[in-house]
Amino acid sequence: MMNGTTNFMLCKMEDEGAEYDAALKEAQSLGFAEADPTADVEGHDVQAKIALLTKLAFGKTVPFHTVPTTGISKLAKVDFEYARSLKSTIKLLGTSTLNPDGTLAVFVSPTIVPIISPLSSAKGPGNMVLINSDNMPSSTFAGPGAGRFPTANSVL
């Protein structure tokens, strides 16, 4: 989960039953979303970030424009009702996996996340990265991720 704007919006839709347009408008009024939010809501921001993290994690270059990407703009309240029935939520995730045969699976998509997952606990404009490896089964890195100062701090 590498985009605080979309996480803020998804939390509003889940927790308050907000419609997509209302959640976007509030994110913009709070300075979490740009006037043109396309890079955030269509997943392009996460697409670039997951390509970079894939290079760092696995040493393999994946041109960001080749990463299959689906944003959140088509999500509705009914999607959250369905997720809730599965004891889950919905988060926009960038995923990168090294398969046993050495190939990569890299994509960005709204994903049903079980409530018991650490990823479900990120609220508001927060970001979270969950790393699984042979040496450490699970490491989680979390922090604020939308707005001028949180974004600048996260980059550093």
Side-chain angles (χ1 to χ4, degrees):
M1 223 170 7
M2 297 175 279
N3 187 280
T5 299
T6 56
N7 197 53
F8 173 84
M9 292 174 61
L10 294 173
C11 288
K12 285 289 179 179
M13 293 172 75
E14 176 186 30
D15 298 340
E16 300 175 16
E19 294 289 351
Y20 172 85
D21 289 336
L24 174 57
K25 184 177 253 185
E26 185 173 353
Q28 288 172 319
S29 73
L30 293 171
F32 297 151
E34 303 289 333
D36 177 0
T38 305
D40 292 327
V41 300
E42 296 305 334
H44 304 303
D45 178 57
V46 176
Q47 181 184 44
K49 291 172 182 174
I50 197 63
L52 176 63
L53 288 175
T54 298
K55 174 67 172 173
L56 294 172
F58 303 119
K60 297 184 179 193
T61 300
V62 176
F64 74 90
H65 63 274
T66 66
V67 175
T69 301
T70 302
I72 67 166
S73 62
K74 292 185 172 65
L75 291 177
K77 287 196 301 190
V78 68
D79 298 309
F80 289 93
E81 292 167 8
Y82 177 69
R84 196 172 302 116
S85 76
L86 299 174
K87 294 184 172 62
S88 298
T89 187
I90 301 172
K91 300 290 185 181
L92 180 65
L93 301 184
T95 302
S96 182
T97 303
L98 182 62
N99 296 316
D101 66 358
T103 60
L104 290 169
V106 185
F107 61 92
V108 176
S109 178
T111 304
I112 293 178
V113 176
I115 294 298
I116 60 171
S117 168
L119 292 173
S120 72
S121 68
K123 296 295 183 182
N127 286 347
M128 184 177 288
V129 176
L130 180 64
I131 300 171
N132 295 308
S133 69
D134 292 337
N135 297 326
M136 179 68 94
S138 182
S139 298
T140 305
F141 302 90
R148 186 173 89 184
F149 295 117
T151 299
N153 190 59
S154 294
V155 168
L156 293 174

